[in-house]
Amino acid sequence: MGANDVLARLNSSGFLKTQGFIGGKWVDAYDGKTLEVTNPATGEVIANVACMGTKEANDAIASAHKAFQSWSKFTAGERSKCLRKWYDLIMANKEQLGELITLEQGKPLKEAIGEVTLGASYLEFYAEEAKRIYGDIIPTTSADRRLFILKQPVGVVGAITPWNFPFAMITRKVGPALAAGCTMVIKPSELTPLAALAAAELANRAGIPPGVVNVVMGIAPEIGDALLASPQVRKITFTGSTAVGKKLMAGAASTVKKVTLELGGNAPCIVFDDADIEVAVKGTLGAKFRNTGQTCICANRILVQEGIYDKFARALSDAISNIKVGNGFSEGVVQGPLINEAAVQKVETLVQDAVSKGAEVLLGGKRHGLGFTFYEPTVISNVNNEMRISREEVFGPVAPLLRFKTEEEAISIANDTDAGLAAYLFGASVQRTWRVAEALEYGIVGINEGLVSSEVTPHGGVKQSGLGREGSKYGIEDYLEIKYVCLGNMLG
Ligand code: ADP
């Protein structure tokens, strides 16, 4: 089925939305402006969506603030039912949502449907957690007092999300927020707003009250600034680049908002001499090539111990040479295009820089014959930790191999970065893998496993990779305030 047929079908089932969603209504930009959303696999325009700015963002904030007054007073059970219904509708339409993701983001359809399932799981999980937001009773310090802790929603939340997971990065935020009793203004990436808008359509169909979920997109700095400036917005949750995250954190200071930031990573993937080579290759492939290498937890530096280096480099190159590249709608494709031309240029620059400093291309190393933004699955050897490719996120299908001798050296290279999101290690010794896991300055560690994300586990980083955690029982805490209530005069 071609992209046009898919678009026509999505349109007729009401999933192809192009307006913003404010206070339960679909609205155009107030000045009528639109922006183009393109298919990265073909360069074709898929849709023209509303290009919104300050005014629309302020109206969305006002709607969310109004809705907060009632949504926060729903019982946990009522909020839970709404979230569960939303989850059910998403799962019933997961193929169509997946098609939308493949169209705007490029990932292979199977992977896109996987993103929908993962994204929906956050709604299901937090539908359940909504009922488990417990307070506390503190043993009193005097006979005439009782001391209580209430957990209450923080208020209106501004969520700013990236293009690499156009759906799951939203549900991972909106699930715990709604479960806690917060309302939301979501600003998806302008490159991939369609999945977010379809999610809002399904929220509406699920009976989530008007104003609880709002979506605006267009001029990112204007919308961002409106969210930051508003005293009604009590929290910003952001997934994206470290540079924008720092700006948002600074901007949140003027109204002292809570912030949750999931920023860039620079994941090391350490392969020790005693690793099971099949497990290490499979795990590295998963950690590196998922989403064409465009995730913040993607392995960015593959550190291989000298005794296994050549064998691992060969086995990894063999496995990578089997990766089928193409349009995400084509059968058997496991690697789609990069998101845009700028992304390809960044990959090219980092590979060229490494090669000019002595790295060797073992596989790929150039644009794919398919053109557009397709890049060949690539392995480069003899990389060191000073090269740009080791200091920056390559965000593409390039596996750079670095050689190390000792465990201490591996830990030192792995930690020699400002980032601290995910790390991976492969080895047979339980004592060593555990020791290294403890020594790594990262928020997430995968041991003999390359795919670590799920709704039941906390996702987040240390150092400049961010603040706070998403997913799991911990993820809801970021949307709750602790209120201490002292009840006095109990003997009077
Ligand atoms: P990436 O490199 O993944 O595109 P960005 O940090 O640029 O990361 O984008 C992530 C999200 O942040 C997107 O929704 C983008 O529109 C938004 N964004 C970019 N600049 C700003 C800004 N100044 N204020 C608010 N949001 C912004």
Side-chain angles (χ1 to χ4, degrees), residues 160-164 187-191 218 220-225 228 238-245 247-248 395:
I160 300 177
T161 57
W163 50 264
N164 58 348
K187 195 208 80 61
S189 167
E190 285 61 40
L191 299 173
E222 276 195 21
I223 298 169
D225 287 351
L228 291 171
F238 171 75
T239 301
S241 63
T242 307
V244 173
K247 265 195 219 161
L248 296 175
F395 241 61

Side-chain angles (χ1 to χ4, degrees), residues 262-266 296-297 419-423 441-444 459-462 465:
E262 208 268 76
L263 310 177
N266 183 356
C296 47
I297 58 169
L421 187 53
E441 297 163 354
Y442 288 83
I444 303 166
H459 184 103
V462 301
S465 283

Side-chain angles (χ1 to χ4, degrees), residues 4 43 49 86 94 112 166 210 220 245 257 289 292 322 370 378 389 411:
N4 285 340
V49 303
W86 193 11
K94 64 176 195 242
K257 296 186 207 307
F289 286 89
T292 314
N322 289 324
L370 286 168
T378 294
I389 204 158
I411 294 169

